[in-house]
């Protein structure tokens, strides 16, 4: 709303929200996370849809509205937790679904895993993130398109957005080429679903509207995630 109107009241609400998020962080060994009460459990989830990366993305979007000291504190918090929770194997990186005891699954989709971390944090201009975000992008490419479908939340289009974000961050054309390759696969998936069920999916995050936006972004080489990022080229 502040982007749209420039009204100070929205900036103040953002700052209040950022302060509340800072106060609600729970410290772990070497990093801090948010814990939510969900499904009758207290879980420190990490993904873009349900956890840390999503909250961090909201903070990153408004960093310019904070004081210099607050910006610095948030950047350090986000870097610390992002790097501490990343799972690394050679030149690849991914994140588990949550922080907790026992072996955690490492999914590769926007809502849980590397694609969501890349889309959430690629606009954070700090070179200390570069190597990990690029390693996450390589993991998404190596894993390939998702079998779950073409959509954003846990589908091929959502994973492909990681490549658009890395193209925006680095200017390296191979990321745009990879995004477009995923786009072609997602089109086939969408058509196959429509042929099988006699109808399309109509929701933004799991259906064809989100795919259509992704395809348009691939054509133009932009990386505005629908509903979360300003698409300045079309405003």
């Amino acid at each position: 709303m502040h982007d749209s109107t420039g009204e100070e009241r929205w900036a103040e609400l953002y700052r209040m929200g950022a302060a509340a998020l800072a106060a609600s962080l729970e410290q772990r060994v070497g990093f801090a996370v948010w814990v939510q009460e969900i499904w009758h459990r207290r879980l420190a989830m990490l993904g873009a849809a349900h956890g840390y990366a999503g909250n961090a993305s909201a903070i990153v979007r408004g960093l310019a509205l904070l004081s210099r000291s607050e910006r610095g504190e948030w950047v350090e918090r986000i870097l610390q937790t992002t790097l501490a929770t990343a799972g690394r194997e050679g030149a690849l990186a991914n994140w588990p679904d949550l922080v907790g005891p026992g072996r955690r699954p490492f999914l590769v989709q926007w809502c849980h895993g590397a694609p969501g971390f890349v889309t959430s944090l690629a606009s954070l201009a700090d070179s200390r993130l570069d190597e990990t975000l690029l390693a996450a992008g390589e993991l998404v490419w190596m894993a390939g398109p998702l079998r779950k479908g073409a959509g954003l939340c846990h589908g091929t289009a959502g994973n492909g957005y990681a490549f658009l974000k890395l193209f925006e961050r680095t200017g390296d054309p191979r990321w745009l080429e990879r995004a477009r390759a995923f786009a072609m696969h997602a089109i086939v998936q969408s058509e196959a679903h429509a042929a099988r069920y006699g109808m399309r999916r109509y929701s933004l995050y799991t259906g064809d509207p989100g795919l259509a936006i992704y395809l348009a972004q691939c054509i133009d080489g932009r990386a505005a995630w629908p509903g979360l990022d300003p698409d300045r080229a079309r405003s």
Side-chain angles (χ1 to χ4, degrees):
M1 292 300 296
H2 183 266
D3 279 346
S4 298
T5 68
E7 294 178 7
E8 176 58 25
R9 59 176 176 147
W10 301 116
E12 183 57 31
L13 283 171
Y14 166 82
R15 287 189 282 267
M16 291 171 60
L21 283 174
S24 64
L25 280 164
E26 291 194 8
Q27 191 66 38
R28 302 298 169 90
V29 179
F31 62 93
V33 291
W34 289 286
V35 176
Q36 50 184 305
E37 295 186 10
I38 186 170
W39 306 313
H40 306 290
R41 301 168 64 191
R42 298 187 77 250
L43 300 173
M45 305 184 83
L46 290 175
H50 307 288
Y52 187 89
N55 281 6
S57 176
I59 293 296
V60 170
R61 280 274 288 106
L63 280 175
L65 301 176
L66 299 176
S67 68
R68 178 178 295 182
S69 62
E70 288 173 316
R71 288 198 302 271
E73 290 170 0
W74 270 116
V75 169
E76 292 305 316
R77 289 187 191 110
I78 292 170
L79 282 169
Q80 190 175 48
T81 299
T82 299
L83 298 178
T85 57
R88 297 301 304 268
E89 183 174 321
L92 308 177
N94 199 4
W95 287 262
D97 61 340
L98 55 85
V99 174
R103 186 176 178 84
R104 307 305 319 167
F106 281 76
L107 302 173
V108 186
Q109 53 199 43
W110 177 79
C111 50
H112 296 289
F117 266 84
V118 174
T119 60
S120 296
L121 301 180
S123 62
L124 182 57
D126 192 300
S127 61
R128 291 173 291 175
L129 267 182
D130 288 347
E131 195 267 339
T132 301
L133 292 180
L134 291 173
E138 291 295 342
L139 176 85
V140 176
W141 177 249
M142 181 175 288
L146 291 185
R147 294 180 180 178
K148 293 182 177 180
L152 296 177
C153 183
H154 41 266
T156 299
N159 282 22
Y161 253 103
F163 305 141
L164 291 177
K165 289 289 187 179
L166 289 173
F167 173 63
E168 183 178 67
R169 184 180 178 92
T170 68
D172 186 339
R174 72 182 170 124
W175 295 112
L176 181 57
E177 292 168 5
R178 290 177 173 186
R180 289 172 172 171
F182 267 43
M184 296 301 98
H185 190 89
I187 291 171
V188 174
Q189 287 180 298
S190 177
E191 294 299 325
H193 179 276
R196 180 177 181 181
Y197 295 103
M199 63 181 295
R200 295 193 175 275
R201 294 180 176 178
Y202 300 112
S203 66
L204 175 62
Y205 269 53
T206 61
D208 290 300
L211 171 59
I213 295 170
Y214 173 64
L215 297 178
Q217 300 278 306
C218 283
I219 291 171
D220 297 338
R222 298 197 310 278
W225 183 276
L228 298 181
D229 296 324
D231 193 350
R232 302 193 189 284
R234 292 191 180 277
S235 61

